Amino acid sequence: MLGWLVLAASGCEPSQPTPDAAAAERVVLIVVDTLRRDVLGAYGGAASTPNIDKLAARGRVYDGVVAGFHQTSMSMASLFTGLTPSIESERPDAPLPWNGRTWCGLRRLRTAADSDNCVPQSVPTLAEAFAAAGYHTMAVATNALIFHPLGYDRGFDRWEQVSDESRGRVAEIAEGDHRARSA
């Protein structure tokens, strides 16, 4: 699977500046599934990654970031919620059923009121925190494991799922959003 890209507060200024939001006009979070940082130019790697390198030169690059889990759906659920994923069942001797309600590792946090979302409604998300701080949030997801019906989109003002056929739209979507806010 290629990667996916999340733009939290994608090049956006806070709509209503708050003390927390004033510290950073824009936050761009790029997440690429199965990409080693040591190949990226921004981290001293030999690969040609000019766009990522430009973003890194203008922003803050973090060195000590570690995935929450070795599996995409659980790792992204952890990133989006700040919680550690786990694999558990009601019965310790029974395997966990593998379905949309369990594959992000947050089953233990589900309540009776939660829908079938992988990310339970009762769990606050990173996008919701950005929105509460006054940011406009946008995500562009190209990974089929991270998609709307499972709750990964919760808190984003705009969520675009891009298939192989429409990947060329990513730049168009981001540029169009930027132009609309600048007008």
Side-chain angles (χ1 to χ4, degrees):
M1 186 81 19
L2 258 180
W4 70 290
L5 170 71
V6 172
L7 303 176
S10 63
C12 309
E13 295 181 23
S15 55
Q16 299 171 350
T18 64
D20 292 336
E25 283 184 19
R26 298 174 180 166
V27 177
V28 179
L29 173 63
I30 300 173
V31 180
V32 182
D33 192 12
T34 67
L35 174 67
R36 292 183 10 205
R37 75 180 208 139
D38 63 343
V39 302
L40 299 173
Y43 289 98
S48 175
T49 55
N51 292 326
I52 292 175
D53 297 346
K54 285 177 195 173
L55 281 172
R58 292 192 327 245
R60 184 174 298 162
V61 176
Y62 293 91
D63 290 323
V65 179
V66 178
F69 201 77
H70 66 276
Q71 176 186 312
T72 300
S73 57
M74 289 191 190
S75 185
M76 293 304 104
S78 179
L79 176 68
F80 280 24
T81 64
L83 299 170
T84 302
S86 62
I87 304 172
E88 76 285 324
S89 177
E90 288 82 19
R91 294 182 30 216
D93 62 336
L96 182 68
W98 196 244
N99 58 44
R101 292 179 298 282
T102 63
W103 70 355
C104 69
L106 301 177
R107 181 179 183 166
R108 71 189 185 283
L109 302 169
R110 290 176 50 80
T111 66
D114 279 320
S115 66
D116 284 343
N117 289 345
C118 188
V119 178
Q121 292 289 326
S122 58
V123 176
T125 67
L126 177 65
E128 290 172 327
F130 270 106
Y135 284 91
H136 171 81
T137 58
M138 176 183 174
V140 179
T142 63
N143 188 318
L145 296 174
I146 312 302
F147 56 95
H148 164 72
L150 294 182
Y152 292 99
D153 63 320
R154 208 174 73 240
F156 286 99
D157 296 311
R158 184 167 177 189
W159 178 272
E160 292 287 336
Q161 289 178 206
V162 182
S163 67
D164 287 339
E165 297 81 38
S166 60
R167 283 182 200 246
R169 290 189 51 226
V170 172
E172 177 187 321
I173 291 165
E175 183 60 31
D177 242 29
H178 178 69
R179 278 195 305 264
R181 281 188 306 281
S182 300

